[in-house]
Amino acid sequence: MATVGECSAQSPSNEVVQANAVPNEMARACKIAIAAAILEASMVSSSLLKRNPHLASFDMGCYMEEDPSPLETGGAKGRSYRGLASATVSGRTCQKWTAQHPWQEAAAMKPTTDKKTKVDGATEMMEWGNGLGNHNYCRNPDSSLGSPWCFTLDPNAAHKKELCSIPTCLAHPRDFKDEAKTLGHEIDATDCECADQLYGSTKSTKDSSVKLLQKVNTTKCSCNKGKGSRR
């Protein structure tokens, strides 16, 4: 079966398509590969949302494994998580932190507030509280587990306390605008229409195109603009 990368390598301009059309068999294989990739992405998204069907991905957010900055304390292991996920990995609904049934331990945990302290005119220090309140959202108030959890509504002691299905935050989130700007400077072949740099080799079916994060030569490519060049 073809891969999505191979299909991308087989996506030429309209002029090339007219001159050398992709065989029907390859076209069908590409469609299957792309459909499979879409299905896989959909399944990953569904696995995170199926237990919280009314929430968008930003409502569930993500949790920090460690404090991301010296200006933050007490937020590691998802203690700083303030999202709205309210079900565990097994699909069980979380108990309210203020409720005593079925587990009295939930109400016994008292809320502590998040505290911001001014360091100077433009800088603040954050000391994370435990995020508890009159709700049943996943939290890690005592840092007892490695990520947000909750007491469940299941009276079975085996399912008293469970982790929630929340993704880990990236330590260094990607800056797509900066990447696009950098890429625009590094891939500068549009002035002479060098297909090899932009789309990969025109002499091979292998995917040799430039990847988004791939370091490329910043010097301009040289194109033969003489006889036979496209104008």
Side-chain angles (χ1 to χ4, degrees), residues 44 47-49 51-52 55-65 77-90 94 97 136-140 146-150 162-169:
V44 171
S47 68
L48 293 176
L49 297 174
R51 298 181 182 91
N52 297 271
L55 300 182
S57 58
F58 64 86
D59 291 321
M60 292 195 303
C62 58
Y63 75 90
M64 298 298 300
E65 293 182 302
K77 297 182 179 179
R79 194 166 182 265
S80 61
Y81 174 74
R82 296 296 181 266
L84 308 182
S86 59
T88 67
V89 290
S90 69
C94 294
W97 295 99
N136 71 332
Y137 303 139
C138 300
R139 297 290 185 262
N140 192 8
S147 62
W149 57 274
C150 69
E162 292 186 347
L163 292 171
C164 299
S165 183
I166 302 169
T168 306
C169 296

Side-chain angles (χ1 to χ4, degrees), residues 6 18-19 35 46 69 84 95 106 150 156 159 179 194 201 216:
E6 290 171 341
Q18 293 173 0
S46 295
S69 162
L84 308 182
Q95 175 185 324
C150 69
N156 187 333
H159 301 289
E179 287 181 15
C194 293
S201 174
V216 297

Side-chain angles (χ1 to χ4, degrees), residues 92-160:
R92 289 174 170 80
T93 300
C94 294
Q95 175 185 324
K96 270 191 174 185
W97 295 99
T98 52
Q100 296 187 354
H101 181 77
W103 308 108
Q104 295 183 355
E105 293 91 331
M109 302 181 78
K110 302 303 179 183
T112 58
T113 60
D114 302 335
K115 297 179 181 178
K116 286 185 178 181
T117 305
K118 285 279 188 180
V119 177
D120 54 43
T123 309
E124 290 183 334
M125 183 84 177
M126 169 62 84
E127 180 182 351
W128 291 101
N130 60 21
L132 299 186
N134 186 28
H135 59 74
N136 71 332
Y137 303 139
C138 300
R139 297 290 185 262
N140 192 8
D142 55 359
S143 301
S144 59
L145 297 181
S147 62
W149 57 274
C150 69
F151 292 103
T152 76
L153 291 177
D154 191 334
N156 187 333
H159 301 289
K160 174 181 178 179

